[in-house]
């Protein structure tokens, strides 16, 4: 479950992506409540998603665990990543270069671009902060 939230094309602002890490997939109602709480307090979150630990790539979780202790949390963890617009553009250009014919005829699907953007926006390289308190995350976002 994920949701693109706001237009993050204004590169002068710093944008963040929020990953809500849970053991089981969140219900739509719980996810919407969290999104509404974020929307009510801050406007610099451009992407959010629910990451279910049991269904996630183990290599990805190991990379995150190097930066934080995932095993110490049982309730949802809120993880913030900085969105790197330049990296997204570079990876999109590389995709277009690799598939020039498909790009020329506009045959590269939105899903392929979306996969690139999602990987960059949730990359452990861009990890900023995590907490089990949504209020702490909101406070961080207000300050930045």
């Amino acid at each position: 479950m994920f949701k693109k939230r706001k237009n993050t094309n204004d590169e002068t602002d710093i944008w963040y992506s929020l990953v809500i890490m849970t053991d089981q997939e969140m219900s739509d109602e719980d996810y919407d409540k969290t999104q509404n709480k974020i929307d009510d307090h801050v406007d610099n979150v451009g992407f959010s998603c629910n990451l279910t630990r049991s269904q996630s790539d183990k290599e990805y979780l190991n990379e995150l665990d190097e930066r934080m202790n995932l095993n110490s949390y049982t309730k949802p963890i809120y993880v913030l990543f900085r969105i790197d617009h330049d990296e997204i553009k570079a990876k999109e250009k590389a995709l277009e270069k690799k598939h020039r014919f498909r790009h020329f005829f506009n045959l590269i699907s939105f899903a392929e671009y979306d996969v690139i953007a999602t990987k960059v926006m949730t990359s452990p390289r861009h990890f900023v902060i995590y907490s089990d308190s949504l209020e702490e995350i909101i406070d961080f976002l207000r300050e930045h």
Side-chain angles (χ1 to χ4, degrees):
M1 173 180 337
F2 67 92
K3 178 180 173 185
K4 287 201 177 188
R5 306 211 27 238
K6 305 217 190 288
N7 184 358
T8 60
N9 290 335
D10 186 2
E11 295 173 13
T12 60
D13 295 332
I14 296 176
W15 286 87
Y16 297 93
S17 58
L18 174 69
V19 173
I20 307 165
M21 191 176 299
T22 56
D23 289 326
Q24 303 295 323
E25 190 166 336
M26 294 177 77
S27 69
D28 289 342
E29 182 179 308
D30 290 340
Y31 185 77
D32 288 341
K33 282 181 188 177
T34 302
Q35 293 307 317
N36 291 337
K37 191 168 187 177
I38 291 285
D39 286 341
D40 289 346
H41 297 286
V42 296
D43 62 356
N44 56 348
V45 175
F47 174 83
S48 63
C49 68
N50 175 221
L51 180 76
T52 307
R53 287 183 215 166
S54 61
Q55 298 174 353
S56 296
D57 178 23
K58 299 303 178 203
E59 186 177 315
Y60 176 76
L61 289 176
N62 287 337
E63 283 183 63
L64 278 179
D65 197 33
E66 290 175 7
R67 302 184 193 294
M68 56 190 207
N69 186 3
L70 293 176
N71 296 327
S72 67
Y73 290 92
T74 56
K75 53 185 171 179
I77 304 170
Y78 305 97
V79 186
L80 275 181
F81 300 91
R82 183 183 45 78
I83 296 176
D84 186 341
H85 299 285
D86 293 333
E87 184 177 348
I88 292 170
K89 285 181 182 177
K91 290 191 181 272
E92 287 175 345
K93 286 190 184 282
L95 173 72
E96 293 165 355
K97 185 176 181 180
K98 180 178 179 183
H99 300 287
R100 288 183 182 162
F101 180 77
R102 290 177 52 213
H103 176 62
F104 180 76
F105 289 105
N106 203 21
L107 296 174
I108 298 176
S109 70
F110 171 77
E112 291 175 87
Y113 287 106
D114 194 47
V115 166
I116 288 171
T118 301
K119 283 184 179 182
V120 171
M121 288 188 285
T122 60
S123 171
R125 286 188 315 278
H126 304 296
F127 167 77
V128 177
I129 187 175
Y130 74 100
S131 176
D132 61 350
S133 166
L134 186 57
E135 287 74 25
E136 187 177 335
I137 296 297
I138 290 170
D139 289 343
F140 176 86
L141 288 166
R142 281 182 182 153
E143 293 172 10
H144 296 89

